[in-house]
Amino acid sequence: MTITKNITVFASGGGSNFIAIHKEILSNNISGNIQLLISNNPGCGAVAYANESGVRTMVINKIRYPSTQDLINVMIRELEKVKTELIILAGYMKLIPNEVIKKYKDRILNIHPALLPSFGGKGYYGKLVHRAVIESGVKTSGVTVHLVDEVYDHGKIIQQVTVPVEKSDTEEILASRVLKAEHKLYPIVVKAFCEDRIEWVNNIPWII
Ligand code: GAR
């Protein structure tokens, strides 16, 4: 399969998922091109990695674009400029504007560090997800990769993997176990997307 896709990544933090996917592309395991990294946070690890590795970066935030409409227009212009075919959210902590979601319907992926639809939605991000998982007493957590729609953490689920919750877990320990699983799962889903191996059955996406 040599179909390839132009990818734009959105990230706000350390960027380890972005790096995991980029490494798979550099090793020719994923037939995609990361053309652009968009971040709201100029000081984050994802931006530093993009700069080091020659990926074009664009900082889009309220400080640079105080008008929401200007911000949305710039985002869409940048996405179009690089002919984006797939958007990957990799620890992006801002809401994606509805205009962008509509324009790239079924072409925006997100990764969530728990088994949606549990432990998702407003307020469930980063360490808070793992705290809620531990406090609930569930014995299994995991990773979800899903399509992004207008409702936070709600889009159709493409793939999930589970990880155990151990009785000695702290938020940090569970987060690091889940993150390791993220680095395996996200490249698998991105690869399938880039090779057009997502099939819709009864309105549900499956990897084939
Ligand atoms: C990851 O654990 C990702 O699942 C989470 O942020 C982290 C980013 O890490 N995303 C969310 O909580 C979204 N709701 P990274 O910057 O090292 O890839």
Side-chain angles (χ1 to χ4, degrees):
M1 282 264 190
T2 51
I3 307 157
T4 191
K5 300 270 190 263
N6 289 327
I7 299 170
T8 293
V9 176
F10 283 64
S12 306
S16 69
N17 279 289
F18 163 43
I19 295 167
I21 292 165
H22 189 243
K23 294 234 155 100
E24 292 296 313
I25 290 173
L26 293 180
S27 320
N28 290 322
N29 293 329
I30 296 177
S31 57
N33 296 313
I34 300 181
Q35 305 282 12
L36 176 64
L37 172 81
I38 292 180
S39 182
N40 59 305
N41 179 5
C44 73
V47 168
Y49 174 80
N51 287 336
E52 276 161 26
S53 45
V55 173
R56 200 162 86 80
T57 62
M58 178 76 194
V59 172
I60 301 182
N61 59 25
K62 278 285 190 189
I63 298 168
R64 291 189 72 176
Y65 304 100
S67 142
T68 303
Q69 197 53 54
D70 284 353
L71 185 148
I72 294 169
N73 292 344
V74 168
M75 199 176 268
I76 290 179
R77 192 189 67 208
E78 290 298 319
L79 289 166
E80 283 177 344
K81 212 190 277 176
V82 295
K83 300 189 166 39
T84 302
E85 296 168 294
L86 168 64
I87 294 175
I88 296 174
L89 307 187
Y92 185 64
M93 296 304 169
K94 293 280 168 195
L95 276 178
I96 297 291
N98 278 350
E99 281 93 327
V100 174
I101 293 176
K102 280 202 187 80
K103 189 169 163 59
Y104 291 92
K105 185 174 170 0
D106 296 337
R107 292 187 292 153
I108 309 179
L109 300 176
N110 183 42
I111 191 156
H112 185 76
L115 295 174
L116 291 175
S118 296
F119 306 107
K122 213 168 155 41
Y124 286 103
Y125 58 88
K127 294 270 161 63
L128 297 180
V129 177
H130 306 296
R131 183 180 306 166
V133 165
I134 290 169
E135 285 175 0
S136 77
V138 293
K139 305 296 182 264
T140 305
S141 188
V143 182
T144 303
V145 177
H146 65 95
L147 291 166
V148 172
D149 67 10
E150 282 87 350
V151 184
Y152 199 69
D153 285 340
H154 170 267
K156 300 276 181 188
I157 292 168
I158 299 182
Q159 191 60 283
Q160 294 180 303
V161 289
T162 59
V163 303
V165 180
E166 309 285 358
K167 61 175 175 296
S168 53
D169 275 354
T170 60
E171 290 159 28
E172 289 74 21
I173 293 171
L174 181 58
S176 112
R177 190 178 306 122
V178 168
L179 196 60
K180 268 195 201 130
E182 294 184 45
H183 298 161
K184 287 195 189 135
L185 183 65
Y186 218 176
I188 289 171
V189 178
V190 171
K191 179 177 169 66
F193 191 100
C194 287
E195 294 173 357
D196 284 342
R197 286 189 291 105
I198 307 286
E199 185 184 28
W200 287 80
V201 180
N202 298 328
N203 209 23
I204 302 288
W206 292 86
I207 291 177
I208 47 167

